Amino acid sequence: MTQLQQTYPDPLSVNEVPIQQHFNKGEVTESSTPREPNLRPRMKSDRPSKETDEIKDPAVRIQDLSVWYGSKQAVGNVSLDIARNQITALIGPSGCGKSTLLRCINRMNELISGVRIEGQIEIDGEPLYIDGVDPVEVRRVIGMVFQRPNPFAKSIYDNVAFGARINGYQGDMDELVRQSLEQAALWDEVKDDLKGSGLALSGGQQQRLCIARAIAVQPEVILMDEPCSALDPIATQRIEDLMQELATSYTIVIVTHNMQQAARVSNRTAFMLAQEDLVGRLVEYGQTEQLFTSPSNKRTEDYITGRFG
Amino acid sequence: MSTTAVVNPGRPQRFGHRRSQQFTERVIAAVLFGCAAVTVLTTVGIVVILFSEGLSFFREIHPVDFLTGTRWTPASGNFGVLPLILGTLMIAVGASFISIPVGTLSAIFLAEYASPKVRSIIKPILEVLAGIPTIVYGFFALTFITPLLRDSWLPDVGIFNALSAMIVVGIMTVPMVSSISDDSLRAVPESLREAAYGVGATKFEVITRVTFPSALSGIVASYILAISRAVGETMAVTVAAGATPHLTLNPLESVQTMTAYIVQVTQGEAPHGTIEFRTIFAIAMTLFAMTMIMNLLSARIVSKFRERYE
Ligand SMILES: Nc1ncnc2c1ncn2[C@@H]1O[C@H](COP(=O)(O)OP(=O)(O)OP(=O)(O)O)[C@@H](O)[C@H]1O
Ligand SMILES: [Mg+2]
């Protein structure tokens, strides 16, 4: 639990407000005013206050989101504010719609045919699900790291440069590649072999390469769908350390099956569950420490204590 | 049998072979080996006959004269194979100008753009196209394409001409390119497309920078197959392009291809055992060498450009 204490300067802060209130649209009036994203300081400003767990100025705001695959509903009425420059974990049993929810945040889910999405997601107060929004532009701002490392069969350099190139990056590409690899904690291992194939790396290195590839586009939000599930504990540890580093400049949302991982790395945790109707819903959302130590919902408690299904 | 570790004689109780099963296994292995042996023997037989007959031809006609001569009139002693090679290549290259672009683009459409419904309509049509007997393509060229060319913008095209043969062989080989390319495009893992979409690639960028390069080895293979098929195609070309061994690059004239000439000879124009008859082995050898070189070339191209995925 030492990590948790590091993450939270004030571990005694207790949320007395019923969890539902955070998702009540009327409650958070502050975010309805338009903002200029670049003028805002990114660090520390959004730490939860002692009294409430209200998220001021969320980076991502999911409002009443429902998703259907064909006629089958997978996610039902999820509302969730994601704090800026923090790590938010999505946990829940298999099939509860974590990936679906995550992939809606960068409009990736609509690549699947037969998908229907209702509700709204806002990034910095700008709605994504309205006419005229180009999903390609959305994905440039919200990067994604996938469950299985999926580098292209190109060189390490070209993997990292891929996104920047298609986005018409004008600056010094060598410098960008170096920076991204450094940020992804991979530079020292590959700096002498940037022309080597990305596929020649180990699984953990490949995943860090994929993170570098996502960072090189200079996104604001990084979505990670079980980024460590194909990795061994040491590689996992490296990615977790890396996430902590990245959280100083990016907003990170991570889906994980590993509750220790959620507890170790995240500031906030959302617990989702699909009940008899098989529609995934948000059960509880709050600061990670609180959710894991004193969950307010019985089903959350059952899940995190392993007394589940 | 060096791995056998049994030293004590005796009968195993639980781990012994079941006799019937062991026998069946052996029969299956023998049958499978037999089938493999038949193909190997056939190939070896063909090559041996080809080379022994071909070499006996080259004892009389010098290979250099054969390969550089520009007149092919075996009856009057001119054994220059260039007109036949040129006719063959002209048809193959012309056909690939149709089959490669049309086949590739339809494969990309089928694999990346078509809805499942549209796919389920177009795929079978392409397969039917591939199943039509080549002789039908031949008289389609003769009775439809050539008249069409004449009536439209090429009034002086001959009844037998290389152009309509190119067109018809091109159409014939489109399904080969499109279906193999489609398969290899669809075999590209979805995770790679997602990776590209995830950094803000448009659909076009995903296809040109990720999907197509990943599928390239299969796509190039389909081109080679289509060209080989065009080189080897006989019936349609004979009917459409005629049987006049001209050294020409004019597609409006009649030409003769190597295979078409072989057909002509085997139809009994030249008696067995004569040098004229043995020309067909020399030509077959040349064809063999051509396709061989093409395959080697394609292997090199593929290994150079392909992006390999596990
Ligand atoms: N492409 C798809 N087509 C149809 N149904 C889908 C598709 N993807 C997901 N689903 C359904 O949506 C529901 C939620 O799936 P999702 O992948 O979001 O769950 P998850 O929480 O990520 O599960 P896991 O932890 O196993 O990854 C499941 O019932 C699943 O069957
Ligand atoms: Mg998932």
Side-chain angles (χ1 to χ4, degrees), chain B residues 61-144:
Chain B
I61 310 294
H62 196 275
V64 173
D65 297 337
F66 176 74
L67 287 174
T68 57
T70 56
R71 290 190 54 191
W72 185 258
T73 48
S76 42
N78 294 307
F79 295 100
V81 80
L82 275 184
L84 294 181
I85 292 185
L86 201 67
T88 305
L89 289 182
M90 188 161 77
I91 305 271
V93 169
S96 67
F97 272 102
I98 294 174
S99 63
I100 289 180
V102 175
T104 310
L105 295 178
S106 35
I108 291 176
F109 172 74
L110 282 173
E112 306 288 332
Y113 287 94
S115 68
K117 184 148 184 262
V118 172
R119 229 185 116 73
S120 72
I121 297 168
I122 293 184
K123 263 266 179 181
I125 293 178
L126 280 172
E127 269 148 33
V128 168
L129 211 58
I132 296 173
T134 61
I135 186 78
V136 176
Y137 280 103
F139 60 73
F140 174 69
L142 191 65
T143 60
F144 180 75

Side-chain angles (χ1 to χ4, degrees), chain A residues 103 108 111 136 139-140 142-144 146 150-154 162-163 165-167 199 213-214 217, chain B residues 116 191-203 205-206 209-210 213 306-310:
Chain A
R103 292 162 56 93
M108 199 79 165
L111 294 173
V136 170
R139 293 178 205 129
R140 285 171 191 185
I142 307 176
M144 189 152 198
F146 299 83
N150 54 358
F152 303 121
K154 304 178 191 291
F162 182 87
R165 280 195 185 128
I166 58 174
N167 295 334
L199 287 171
R213 181 176 64 192
V217 190
Chain B
S191 65
L192 291 177
R193 293 191 182 87
E194 289 192 329
Y197 279 121
V199 289
T202 61
K203 181 159 197 164
E205 287 163 341
V206 173
R209 296 177 187 234
V210 175
R306 94 154 109 200
E307 296 190 344
R308 197 194 296 264
Y309 293 93
E310 271 77 345

Side-chain angles (χ1 to χ4, degrees), chain A residues 27-300:
Chain A
E27 202 82 9
V28 193
T29 48
E30 191 257 0
S31 66
S32 55
T33 51
R35 269 179 304 271
E36 178 57 52
N38 293 335
L39 299 178
R40 188 184 348 92
R42 300 196 92 182
M43 295 281 299
K44 309 255 185 220
S45 61
D46 303 307
R47 284 293 148 112
S49 63
K50 276 188 183 176
E51 297 77 37
T52 79
D53 191 25
E54 188 174 291
I55 297 168
K56 297 194 185 69
D57 184 27
V60 180
R61 141 163 276 227
I62 300 166
Q63 291 165 343
D64 203 24
L65 194 83
S66 299
V67 184
W68 286 260
Y69 291 104
S71 60
K72 182 184 167 299
Q73 188 171 7
V75 169
N77 308 88
V78 171
S79 295
L80 192 65
D81 282 359
I82 289 166
R84 194 176 302 280
N85 292 9
Q86 290 197 353
I87 302 179
T88 303
L90 293 179
I91 61 167
S94 192
C96 68
K98 305 180 294 294
S99 301
T100 303
L101 179 66
L102 193 74
R103 292 162 56 93
C104 286
I105 299 176
N106 68 343
R107 293 196 59 173
M108 199 79 165
N109 225 28
E110 62 210 53
L111 294 173
I112 298 166
S113 66
V115 151
R116 185 159 65 86
I117 299 164
E118 273 180 17
Q120 188 56 270
I121 296 181
E122 289 175 4
I123 304 295
D124 296 328
E126 279 195 55
L128 302 186
Y129 288 90
I130 54 171
D131 284 350
V133 170
D134 182 355
V136 170
E137 294 299 324
V138 172
R139 293 178 205 129
R140 285 171 191 185
V141 178
I142 307 176
M144 189 152 198
V145 176
F146 299 83
Q147 180 166 0
R148 320 204 89 235
N150 54 358
F152 303 121
K154 304 178 191 291
S155 70
I156 291 169
Y157 186 100
D158 288 342
N159 262 285
V160 179
F162 182 87
R165 280 195 185 128
I166 58 174
N167 295 334
Y169 179 71
Q170 292 297 313
D172 182 351
M173 189 64 82
D174 292 353
E175 184 58 22
L176 179 75
V177 168
R178 189 182 61 78
Q179 267 177 18
S180 307
L181 285 168
E182 273 175 357
Q183 272 196 294
L186 187 61
W187 174 252
D188 289 335
E189 289 154 70
V190 301
K191 62 171 182 260
D192 299 323
D193 192 24
L194 292 176
K195 292 273 161 283
S197 168
L199 287 171
L201 300 173
S202 75
Q205 289 174 324
Q206 286 188 12
Q207 195 62 304
R208 276 179 281 147
L209 179 62
C210 293
I211 292 174
R213 181 176 64 192
I215 293 171
V217 190
Q218 295 166 317
E220 290 170 30
V221 181
I222 303 177
L223 309 175
M224 300 185 167
D225 194 346
E226 300 182 44
C228 304
S229 63
L231 306 181
D232 67 65
I234 292 174
T236 300
Q237 176 69 46
R238 296 208 63 161
I239 304 270
E240 287 180 7
D241 293 345
L242 174 58
M243 283 194 292
Q244 304 280 14
E245 299 263 305
L246 294 176
T248 58
S249 30
Y250 303 94
T251 302
I252 297 179
V253 186
I254 175 180
V255 168
T256 177
H257 268 133
N258 181 333
M259 274 175 285
Q260 282 76 28
Q261 180 169 62
R264 280 192 303 262
V265 302
S266 72
N267 304 75
R268 282 164 203 278
T269 299
F271 172 59
M272 290 178 71
L273 185 61
Q275 286 174 290
E276 294 76 52
D277 61 355
L278 300 178
V279 179
R281 294 198 167 81
L282 185 66
V283 173
E284 185 163 353
Y285 178 44
Q287 293 193 34
T288 298
E289 164 142 45
Q290 203 212 323
L291 189 130
F292 278 97
T293 53
S294 54
S296 56
N297 190 299
K298 178 76 171 61
R299 289 168 296 177
T300 313

